[in-house]
Structures are given as C-alpha cells and as structure tokens.
Amino acid sequence: MINKNEIHFRKANAADINIIWEIIQQSIERRRIDGSAQWQNGYPNLQTVESDVSKGFGYVLTVNNEVAVFVALIFNDEPAYSTIEGEWLTTGEFVVVHRVAVSENFAGQGLAKKLFDYIEDFVKSQNVLSVKVDTNYDNIAMLKILESKGYSYCGEVVLAGGVRKAFEKVLII
C-alpha cells in the first residue's frame, strides 16, 4: 500500500517527457493485451506528449518522486464534445481528462482512482464546474474507474476516428 504522503500531483515538465512517453507506450501495450482497440493506431505518440507538456496540459502523479501516472487536463476545449449523441450534465466551464496512463511499476495499486481524486480537487480549486472524460467501449478498466468515482454516462462522442463513451461529473453545484 502506498502512503498518501508519498504521492504528489504536479504539472509535468520537459524533464518528464521521456518517462511519460515510456509510460504511454506501456499503456498502449496494456490496451492491446486487454483486447482493446484504444490507442492502437499510432496515437498518442511522442509528439502528443511533447505538445501536452509544452502547452501546460500535462500533469503527473509521482510516488516517492517517481513519475507513476500521466494525464492531460484541458480546460474548456474539446471540439469533439460540442457534438454529443446524448446530453452533457452542464454547459459551464469544464476540464477534459485525456490520455490517462499508469506506469507498469505502479499498475494495480489504485493510482488511477487516486488520480481522479487529485484531478477533482485541482479542478474545484480552479472554480471549474465539472470534469468531462471519454473512453473506448472496450476500455473496461477505465469504465470501472469512472463508475466507481461517480461519473455519469452522458452519451457518445466521435473522437480520434471512433465512437467513444462520454462521461461527466459535476463538482460545483
């Protein structure tokens, strides 16, 4: 069990790019082994990671100063979310969660769930109304996390050439 005092959530920096890319590659392989079509078409790639970090979208969860989890958080901007087959819970400001990837060194330790706690606390601290996220129909691990964290299924969006399940959680009422 990881001690909460050992875990920190921070903005990713250029020095993190290589380890983030390694973690993304591990996650791509994990998706493949799990039989998921998600991330099997060359996306995300190293340029995606570099862009996330340079634009300030990249965040990491560290355990004892080792990067364990990566996520991209994008405020109020996901063009694919403007067209949903269904309906979002809110129309106000939101944060989009993309590219969650957990290091093999920390897989199965509940860090993806903890990541969402940190994301929600951070988003609330920014006075942003909600968190929106999408995932593949066959990404069972992420679907279970979203259900356990209280995210509501809102419908389908088309992203990266495929239909994805879209979820939202309202943080500020």
Side-chain angles (χ1 to χ4, degrees):
M1 188 72 182
I2 297 169
N3 181 332
K4 189 171 193 249
N5 296 332
E6 301 165 347
I7 301 173
H8 296 283
F9 179 72
R10 65 169 172 80
K11 194 167 272 208
N13 59 55
D16 298 320
I17 289 174
N18 288 339
I19 187 64
I20 291 167
W21 175 230
E22 187 176 313
I23 291 168
I24 294 270
Q25 290 177 91
Q26 292 169 358
S27 295
I28 289 168
E29 179 63 8
R30 192 174 317 119
R31 295 273 61 76
R32 186 190 67 75
I33 290 168
D34 289 347
S36 173
Q38 189 169 0
W39 291 6
Q40 300 304 304
N41 63 355
Y43 166 89
N45 54 40
L46 180 57
Q47 291 74 28
T48 309
V49 173
E50 291 169 342
S51 175
D52 283 343
V53 173
S54 71
K55 291 179 179 175
F57 298 159
Y59 289 82
V60 293
L61 204 62
T62 63
V63 177
N64 290 327
N65 297 318
E66 182 180 346
V67 175
V69 186
F70 173 74
V71 65
L73 299 179
I74 304 166
F75 284 80
N76 299 312
D77 186 28
E78 177 47 76
Y81 285 10
S82 64
T83 307
I84 183 170
E85 185 69 36
E87 190 174 347
W88 294 112
L89 302 176
T90 67
T91 57
E93 290 193 345
F94 61 94
V95 166
V96 177
V97 175
H98 279 319
R99 295 180 281 290
V100 174
V102 178
S103 166
E104 284 296 321
N105 296 343
F106 297 94
Q109 298 182 39
L111 285 179
K113 282 185 182 179
K114 283 195 187 327
L115 173 70
F116 276 87
D117 294 337
Y118 282 94
I119 290 169
E120 291 171 18
D121 288 346
F122 173 66
V123 169
K124 282 190 251 184
S125 78
Q126 304 299 304
N127 292 313
V128 172
L129 185 65
S130 73
V131 176
K132 295 180 181 180
V133 60
D134 66 85
T135 194
N136 252 39
Y137 279 83
D138 59 7
N139 189 337
I140 303 305
M142 183 56 72
L143 290 168
K144 286 181 179 176
I145 289 168
L146 294 172
E147 180 183 351
S148 75
K149 301 308 286 179
Y151 283 72
S152 298
Y153 175 70
C154 295
E156 298 176 342
V157 295
V158 177
L159 199 73
V163 175
R164 316 269 294 202
K165 292 182 92 167
F167 297 84
E168 183 175 14
K169 184 172 183 178
V170 178
L171 302 177
I172 299 175
I173 299 176

